[in-house]
Amino acid sequence: MMRDPKEYAKQFENASYSEILKIKNELVSGIKDFENDKEKTGLKWNVSPGPDVMYQWNLEVLGLIAPMVAEAFRREGE
């Protein structure tokens, strides 16, 4: 079972800018990988959760993480 996106993102609320940026970049990488896979077939599609579910999860977490990146940037930039 996958972790709830809100629960996952919550652990980064007080993380440093560089820590949150690393997570954001991993999410974006996963999103790009899915979007650039034109075939959508093969062994990597026979896993659970499937790449389409991970894509949706990554998008949701990215939406939750993005404001945290901005907040950490403001916090550390002062």
Side-chain angles (χ1 to χ4, degrees), residues 3 5-6 11-12 14 17 20 22 28 30-32 45 49 59 61 63 66 68-70 78:
R3 204 165 165 190
K6 291 177 185 174
Q11 69 183 327
F12 302 107
N14 296 311
Y17 174 71
I20 298 173
K22 180 181 177 204
V28 169
I31 290 166
K32 284 181 181 180
W45 280 85
L59 287 171
V61 174
M68 293 180 196
V69 174
E78 294 178 351

Side-chain angles (χ1 to χ4, degrees), residues 25-42:
N25 290 339
E26 290 171 2
L27 292 166
V28 169
S29 178
I31 290 166
K32 284 181 181 180
D33 287 348
F34 179 85
E35 292 174 345
N36 291 329
D37 184 359
K38 305 294 185 228
E39 298 296 316
K40 306 272 192 281
T41 60

Side-chain angles (χ1 to χ4, degrees), residues 50-63:
D52 54 337
V53 173
M54 287 303 302
Y55 176 70
Q56 293 171 359
W57 189 89
N58 285 343
L59 287 171
E60 191 166 342
V61 174
L62 181 60

Side-chain angles (χ1 to χ4, degrees), residues 15-18 20-21 65-78:
S16 70
Y17 174 71
S18 62
I20 298 173
L21 194 60
I65 293 285
M68 293 180 196
V69 174
E71 177 57 35
F73 182 76
R74 279 193 296 274
R75 183 175 62 236
E76 293 181 16
E78 294 178 351

